[in-house]
Amino acid sequence: MSQNLKNIAVIGALVGGIALASYPIIIAPYLNPGSWAEVQKQGRKGIDVEKIQPGGMKVWSDPFEKRKE
């Protein structure tokens, strides 16, 4: 019985650690996209998109922008 509880605790700790580590990567940008959009604007400032885009490919767009229907 003690070995089973130890195994459950180890597996639970691993799953909890993965969930805790994934929060700032996956969940936080999903819940609050405004601040991440600002970070991307600052990071992309001064970049000439046409200059760096390979020929014939679509120019990237803001992934946080609302879709137009």
Side-chain angles (χ1 to χ4, degrees):
M1 183 74 172
S2 176
Q3 185 66 24
N4 288 341
L5 290 176
K6 187 185 286 187
N7 288 340
I8 291 172
V10 168
I11 292 171
L14 287 173
V15 170
I18 291 170
L20 187 64
S22 67
Y23 178 79
I25 300 167
I26 299 169
I27 299 168
Y30 180 74
L31 295 176
N32 188 12
S35 64
W36 295 95
E38 287 299 319
V39 169
Q40 283 194 349
K41 283 181 187 177
Q42 292 296 324
R44 294 176 179 171
K45 189 184 295 185
I47 296 175
D48 183 14
V49 178
E50 297 297 329
K51 196 176 197 181
I52 64 171
Q53 196 67 19
M57 294 186 72
K58 180 183 173 195
V59 176
W60 51 261
S61 60
D62 185 5
F64 298 106
E65 185 176 323
K66 299 288 184 190
R67 291 185 180 175
K68 296 177 179 116
E69 294 182 33

